[in-house]
Amino acid sequence: MLNLRACSLPNQRWRWLVIPAICICLQTFAQNNLPDVSISLEVNGSLAELLEAIAKKGGVRFSYNPKKIEAAQTTKYSAVNKKLTAVLSDLADRFGIRYTLVEGQIILKPEKKTDKGELQTITLSGTIKDAGSGEALIGASVLVKELQTGTVTNGFGFYSVTVPKGKYTVTSSFLGYQSHTATVDLGASIQQDIALKEDLPVLEEVIVSNPLPDVAQEIAVSNTNVRPKTVEDRPALFGEMDVVKSLESIPGVKLHSDGSTFYYVRGGNRDENLVLMDDAPIYNPSHMLGLFSTIIPDAVNDITLYKGDMPASLGGRLSSVLDVRTKKGNDQRFEAWGSTGLISTKIGVEGPFRKSASSFLVSARASTLKWIFQRINHDVKQFDFHDFTTKVNVKINPENRILFSLYTGADNYFDTNNGISWSNTAGTLRWNHLFGDRLFMNTTLALSGYDYFLYTDVATNTRWNSHISNFSVKSDFSYFIRPENELTFGLSANGYTFNPGNLQSDTTISFLPTLSVRNSVEFVLYGNHEVKLNERWGVNYGARFSVWSDTGESFEYVFDANHNPIDTLYYAKGDNYKQFVNIEPRFTLSYLLNDHASVKASYARNVQNVHLISNSISPFTSLEVWLPSSINIKPETANQATVGYYHSWQNIGTSFTAEAFYKKMNNQIDYSAHAETLLNPLLERELRFGKATAYGIELLARKDEGRLRGWIGYTYSRARRRFADINEGRVYNAYYDRPHQVNLMVSYDLSLRWNLGMNWVYSTGSPFSSPVSFYQYNGEEVPVYGQKNNDRLPDYHRLDLSATVKLNKNPEKRFRHSLSFSIFNVYGRKNALFVNYNKTENSNGDFKIPADASDGNRVTSQYYLFRFTPSIAYNFKWL
């Protein structure tokens, strides 16, 4: 076999003397002395293999410096009876190299550089969008066929590919859309937007011919993209499609219990999950005390969950980031959509201000439950929740775009003189700017707020209020150096306000305890570099550098080793009295086993400076207090290592991932026995700090294309905690320690009009503390507890089914409507929420509260929520 990397000269050292001497030879002279032969060949491999084939067919020899010519880069090339000179010209254009004939050898050198020191290359850039609505397609693929290289679009649908000048076949594709192929003559850098059309529904199984995003090729681990269509196909409680509950199908994510939107990721507590809506945090994404989430699926464009190994641009939590991008509004035509069901009614309108240039979206949802609860209890005065989402998109010119989005939602539950309410507000103003063809900038102003009110006397407006809000300014930059080489970096400044809970009233209240309002600022610098080192190895590395400062005006208590207050420190307005500096490195290494299989390993460190204080494990509470890292609370930290195997079968739209992780967490928060977190000015004395460990294996197979679609996942994981002041310093299982979990979600298109869905979930029961004995004190029975979380609830499992029928026989009609039927918990499993031991059964078979347990047998009571629960919903869309 011809050794292409070796010159025919007898000594490697002599080559470096000869090559500079012959560089003065003109290429035109070289062309005139090349063999006058025509060759036919077809190569799909490396540049080295292509050169070897040309050498064999053309009867020539090549010589080059392997440090300057990347012979390992992949390519696809074919020629039929093509002159050797034409073939070499193709190579020169495609790979940016010059060739010179010297004594029967073809010397290859990099193309001459410009005055700026860069190779003469051409950039193709633009956005990829939905042809029908103009929505950006996030993560769409762009492939340059001849070079077998490409990229994917960023969070705003932007792509940039830099290649040597020439004529190329460029294919763009996205899951669920028809691929787009065009021949592009790149004589100069150009911007080209691409619109993809949705695939029409079909009955037969489809073989996927267009290239789809390949999980094996990505240099990333532990992230899952959930398309809005997947949320729609999933059976839902009371027919309410729910973005957060759809995460239940992802290995490593554990929902609290039936009907709850509280979730835990890889052994972390629920406050360690950050929910972002257009880069603005949603602090409590729940309605009806956790039954439903605040995010309207119909208004969502893209959903991505990062399980600990998030990009450097995203941070502030230990366990996960749920990145939700809302639709910008249809810029091609007006449309309206909506639905009504047992729980709520929602409606949305979107359309262009100016076609292909500016658009809007408005959506709203309101509950329809009040009349039901008023029939049960006439004292109910208010029982409702609502959401409102809007977005405005203005394309100023090809380089500049402005987007404004706003979300607000609230819950209100009141009887005659008491009640609770809470609300979320999140708004963002974005500026997208393109510097040249390869540098993309997104600057965001974001504002978020969360308020919780507990009313003790509606007449006098007496209420307890906790509050958290933040304002941030952030600039993200994406620099597309070349295909498979991208640099992202940026900076942000954030301001926070925390009210841990104070009583307010229209009347004077004596002896009112006061908790200090806290203020904090945070400055962050971050960067990520993703690059493919060669055809096998790829690396993604980065870091996040943060400075957190607590500022006055405020006051803080100082506690001794026994948690007793010993001093009070007062800080004037503007004083920076406590500071934490942290660096959060992250690193991912990928090795391709073949074109569609890879192994990867990663390490990430995350830091959290905002902490949820809530000593309730109830899934139905929104009584939440947030506190910053400060004198008494250190930043929580997590170090996570992950290894995995990834395989995709792109021709059938199927992938498989297997990941193992190990995570160590420090400065975790728990509570003293019988902790008081309401109206307690010494709130921080109730806190205890310790360590946690989580590890596990996660398997996921998913099929996203064809008539039959679905996910199946299995998780084995453990979550252990250790606190010096809790459980006598012994390790105990966290509430979310559920070793085994199985998730199965299937969607099947029975016909062009009927879709069937199924969801089955199984998990080990949650740990809880059960009494080991009882004793009598002053006529009352008192339980005695042993180790913390020494028992488990029964295993959890349920089956959900759904069916959706399109009422239109003609799918092309402008008005389209459908009915959705669903059954939650088909076989009526009694999945326990709580267990208590406060009943006895006497000799007559009667149950009573045991003031004296001597005359009966102790029994336990299990509380559950939903058994067989059917629902129906009506959906419509007008185009």
Side-chain angles (χ1 to χ4, degrees):
M1 181 178 291
L2 179 63
N3 184 356
L4 296 170
R5 297 198 177 190
C7 178
S8 62
L9 296 175
N11 190 292
Q12 185 86 353
R13 182 183 60 185
W14 286 101
R15 185 173 61 172
W16 307 123
L17 298 177
V18 173
I19 290 178
I22 62 176
C23 286
I24 58 173
C25 297
L26 298 175
Q27 183 169 325
T28 53
F29 176 80
Q31 291 173 341
N32 292 333
N33 289 275
L34 286 170
D36 186 18
V37 296
S38 297
I39 60 178
S40 298
L41 54 84
E42 184 170 351
V43 173
N44 185 2
S46 65
L47 174 59
E49 293 170 335
L50 175 59
L51 293 176
E52 183 177 356
I54 295 172
K56 185 176 180 180
K57 296 280 188 177
V60 294
R61 292 177 295 172
F62 289 99
S63 178
Y64 59 88
N65 182 353
K67 294 183 178 180
K68 296 184 177 181
I69 304 293
E70 297 182 16
Q73 59 185 302
T74 58
T75 185
K76 186 175 182 180
Y77 183 81
S78 62
V80 179
N81 292 326
K82 203 168 189 178
K83 290 290 187 180
L84 177 61
T85 53
V87 172
L88 294 178
S89 295
D90 287 346
L91 294 183
D93 289 340
R94 184 171 300 183
F95 297 101
I97 57 178
R98 293 180 296 136
Y99 64 93
T100 307
L101 182 65
V102 178
E103 296 182 0
Q105 292 186 93
I106 299 177
I107 308 299
L108 303 180
K109 299 189 67 179
E111 181 61 84
K112 287 184 178 180
K113 297 183 178 181
T114 65
D115 293 338
K116 295 182 179 180
E118 297 179 351
L119 291 177
Q120 293 179 347
T121 53
I122 304 300
T123 299
L124 171 66
S125 62
T127 59
I128 299 181
K129 57 186 179 180
D130 183 308
S133 66
E135 290 291 343
L137 298 181
I138 301 169
S141 297
V142 179
L143 177 69
V144 181
K145 183 179 179 182
E146 288 78 5
L147 302 182
Q148 286 296 295
T149 190
T151 188
V152 295
T153 57
N154 69 3
F156 301 92
F158 177 78
Y159 74 93
S160 177
V161 181
T162 301
V163 294
K165 64 180 181 180
K167 184 178 290 187
Y168 299 101
T169 303
V170 180
T171 299
S172 306
S173 60
F174 189 69
L175 189 64
Y177 287 75
Q178 301 174 20
S179 62
H180 174 275
T181 301
T183 300
V184 182
D185 191 356
L186 295 179
S189 294
I190 62 173
Q191 289 190 29
Q192 181 171 299
D193 294 344
I194 301 169
L196 301 184
K197 296 180 180 179
E198 279 195 271
D199 269 333
L200 295 176
V202 292
L203 290 181
E204 66 275 8
E205 192 68 27
V206 177
I207 301 299
V208 183
S209 58
N210 56 302
L212 301 173
D214 192 337
V215 66
Q217 297 278 351
E218 295 176 350
I219 310 176
V221 301
S222 304
N223 68 72
T224 305
N225 183 259
V226 183
R227 300 189 65 209
K229 175 65 172 153
T230 303
V231 180
E232 295 174 10
D233 288 345
R234 188 176 182 274
L237 177 64
F238 296 121
E240 283 289 315
M241 295 183 297
D242 198 294
V243 171
V244 172
K245 288 184 180 179
S246 68
L247 304 180
E248 184 178 40
S249 303
I250 300 176
V253 179
K254 303 179 189 294
L255 290 188
H256 185 288
S257 56
D258 266 348
S260 177
T261 54
F262 297 163
Y263 64 98
Y264 310 90
V265 177
R266 287 188 171 178
N269 216 331
R270 65 184 179 95
D271 70 316
E272 296 172 11
N273 306 310
L274 176 62
V275 178
L276 292 174
M277 185 178 291
D278 291 335
D279 271 350
I282 305 295
Y283 289 101
N284 182 5
S286 67
H287 285 309
M288 288 187 67
L289 300 170
L291 277 176
F292 306 105
S293 71
T294 58
I295 303 166
I296 304 175
D298 308 78
V300 170
N301 182 37
D302 186 78
I303 309 159
T304 302
L305 177 72
Y306 299 94
K307 295 184 290 188
D309 188 22
M310 58 277 293
S313 60
L314 303 176
R317 297 295 191 277
L318 299 190
S319 295
S320 75
V321 173
L322 181 62
D323 189 13
V324 178
R325 301 296 177 100
T326 60
K327 293 179 180 178
K328 66 176 180 58
N330 195 321
D331 64 10
Q332 299 299 306
R333 60 189 178 188
F334 287 95
E335 66 175 83
W337 43 262
S339 69
T340 185
L342 300 177
I343 299 297
S344 70
T345 296
K346 58 188 172 187
I347 191 168
V349 180
E350 54 185 300
F353 291 119
R354 188 160 63 92
K355 191 173 181 179
S356 299
S358 59
S359 59
F360 72 93
L361 176 142
V362 178
S363 66
R365 174 172 61 175
S367 63
T368 54
L369 284 170
K370 179 180 176 180
W371 66 273
I372 299 176
F373 285 89
Q374 283 183 327
R375 286 179 176 271
I376 300 172
N377 184 352
H378 296 294
D379 290 333
V380 172
K381 300 302 179 185
Q382 192 172 1
F383 198 101
D384 62 72
F385 66 83
H386 68 266
D387 298 295
F388 176 80
T389 302
T390 186
K391 197 165 190 176
V392 176
N393 152 65
V394 179
K395 184 178 180 180
I396 300 173
N397 55 44
E399 289 77 32
N400 293 279
R401 183 186 296 271
I402 299 294
L403 300 102
F404 169 76
S405 62
L406 174 68
Y407 165 80
T408 181
D411 286 66
N412 298 282
Y413 308 108
F414 289 90
D415 60 18
T416 305
N417 201 35
N418 300 284
I420 57 173
S421 70
W422 66 91
S423 63
N424 288 281
T425 302
T428 59
L429 178 63
R430 295 179 182 273
W431 171 36
N432 293 169
H433 180 69
L434 184 61
F435 297 92
D437 303 301
R438 291 192 266 176
L439 181 60
F440 180 91
M441 180 195 74
N442 172 58
T443 294
T444 303
L445 303 179
L447 175 67
S448 293
Y450 171 72
D451 278 281
Y452 178 87
F453 295 95
L454 173 62
Y455 287 81
T456 59
D457 190 338
V458 174
T460 61
N461 202 24
T462 302
R463 65 202 185 277
W464 180 86
N465 169 233
S466 68
H467 168 87
I468 179 174
S469 62
N470 77 282
F471 176 80
S472 66
V473 182
K474 179 181 180 183
S475 286
D476 300 307
F477 297 86
S478 299
Y479 181 48
F480 298 83
I481 302 172
R482 63 186 186 201
E484 303 170 342
N485 190 343
E486 181 182 355
L487 179 65
T488 58
F489 57 94
L491 70 166
S492 68
N494 311 285
Y496 294 85
T497 298
F498 304 83
N499 178 0
N502 283 286
L503 199 63
Q504 304 169 355
S505 180
D506 292 343
T507 62
T508 303
I509 302 176
S510 24
F511 307 109
L512 185 66
T514 301
L515 282 75
S516 176
V517 173
R518 313 288 180 82
N519 297 284
S520 303
V521 294
E522 181 185 33
F523 298 96
V524 182
L525 293 173
Y526 50 87
N528 248 105
H529 185 204
E530 179 178 319
V531 59
K532 287 204 171 178
L533 304 175
N534 54 41
E535 61 182 4
R536 296 286 185 183
W537 290 96
V539 64
N540 186 334
Y541 61 95
R544 182 180 176 90
F545 177 79
S546 65
V547 179
W548 179 277
S549 298
D550 295 314
T551 66
E553 182 180 15
S554 66
F555 61 89
E556 299 252 14
Y557 294 104
V558 179
F559 302 95
D560 63 18
N562 296 317
H563 311 289
N564 297 313
I566 57 175
D567 198 0
T568 305
L569 304 177
Y570 293 89
Y571 302 98
K573 187 175 182 178
D575 285 351
N576 292 321
Y577 63 89
K578 188 64 178 178
Q579 190 175 84
F580 298 98
V581 179
N582 280 288
I583 186 167
E584 305 166 50
R586 59 229 30 223
F587 181 87
T588 301
L589 187 65
S590 173
Y591 179 75
L592 275 174
L593 301 172
N594 54 52
D595 287 344
H596 301 295
S598 65
V599 291
K600 305 175 191 177
S602 79
Y603 163 79
R605 182 175 190 266
N606 293 301
V607 175
Q608 181 167 330
N609 282 299
V610 294
H611 315 279
L612 175 63
I613 309 301
S614 175
N615 66 341
S616 172
I617 62 168
S618 168
F620 307 115
T621 178
S622 291
L623 197 161
E624 298 185 338
V625 172
W626 292 86
L627 285 174
S629 297
S630 60
I631 290 176
N632 296 303
I633 305 177
K634 294 181 180 179
E636 298 178 73
T637 62
N639 293 276
Q640 178 174 277
T642 307
V643 294
Y645 171 78
Y646 309 81
H647 198 116
S648 66
W649 295 267
Q650 290 183 290
N651 60 327
I652 57 174
T654 302
S655 64
F656 170 77
T657 64
E659 291 186 342
F661 72 92
Y662 183 84
K663 182 161 66 171
K664 292 282 290 185
M665 293 164 278
N666 296 312
N667 302 323
Q668 294 283 282
I669 297 176
D670 212 320
Y671 306 90
S672 63
H674 312 294
E676 294 289 340
T677 58
L678 182 65
L679 282 177
N680 183 357
L682 302 176
L683 175 62
E684 286 154 303
R685 74 181 298 181
E686 309 288 351
L687 308 182
R688 302 294 182 264
F689 303 96
K691 299 181 178 181
T693 302
Y695 57 88
I697 298 173
E698 302 167 357
L699 309 177
L700 175 64
R702 58 187 291 184
K703 184 176 185 293
D704 295 316
E705 279 286 302
R707 189 175 179 180
L708 177 67
R709 303 173 297 279
W711 296 20
I712 181 169
Y714 168 75
T715 304
Y716 173 79
S717 63
R718 302 307 304 266
R720 307 287 184 83
R721 294 162 73 86
R722 183 195 290 271
F723 288 69
D725 299 331
I726 297 175
N727 200 41
E728 298 179 350
R730 294 170 295 188
V731 174
Y732 63 93
N733 297 324
Y735 171 77
Y736 34 86
D737 175 72
R738 305 166 194 171
H740 300 281
Q741 180 172 325
V742 180
N743 305 92
L744 174 63
M745 182 178 65
V746 177
S747 178
Y748 181 68
D749 294 328
L750 187 64
S751 68
L752 291 175
R753 295 177 59 196
W754 280 91
N755 172 267
L756 304 179
M758 184 193 78
N759 182 58
W760 186 74
V761 182
Y762 166 85
S763 70
T764 306
S766 300
F768 74 99
S769 300
S770 64
V772 295
S773 64
F774 296 83
Y775 68 91
Q776 296 291 324
Y777 180 78
N778 288 339
E780 298 290 335
E781 187 175 61
V782 180
V784 177
Y785 291 93
Q787 293 197 41
K788 185 178 177 69
N789 289 347
N790 61 328
D791 209 342
R792 286 188 182 273
L793 295 175
D795 289 355
Y796 179 99
H797 55 88
R798 75 167 201 276
L799 173 68
D800 309 326
L801 297 177
S802 68
T804 300
V805 56
K806 297 176 181 176
L807 301 177
N808 301 82
K809 293 185 178 180
N810 180 3
E812 299 300 316
K813 281 191 173 183
R814 295 190 66 187
F815 181 77
R816 304 169 188 177
H817 55 150
S818 64
L819 283 175
S820 297
F821 308 91
S822 64
I823 302 175
F824 184 87
N825 199 355
V826 172
Y827 49 77
R829 167 77 172 177
K830 295 180 180 179
N831 289 304
L833 278 175
F834 307 105
V835 175
N836 69 39
Y837 294 79
N838 65 342
K839 292 181 181 180
T840 59
E841 183 181 13
N842 61 25
S843 57
N844 297 325
D846 298 325
F847 295 95
K848 66 174 185 176
I849 302 298
D852 181 2
S854 61
D855 65 341
N857 299 315
R858 184 175 304 282
V859 296
T860 61
S861 298
Q862 295 185 4
Y863 293 89
Y864 60 90
L865 275 180
F866 304 106
R867 296 187 68 188
F868 182 88
T869 309
S871 62
I872 184 172
Y874 173 74
N875 314 285
F876 72 88
K877 177 178 282 191
W878 182 82
L879 301 174

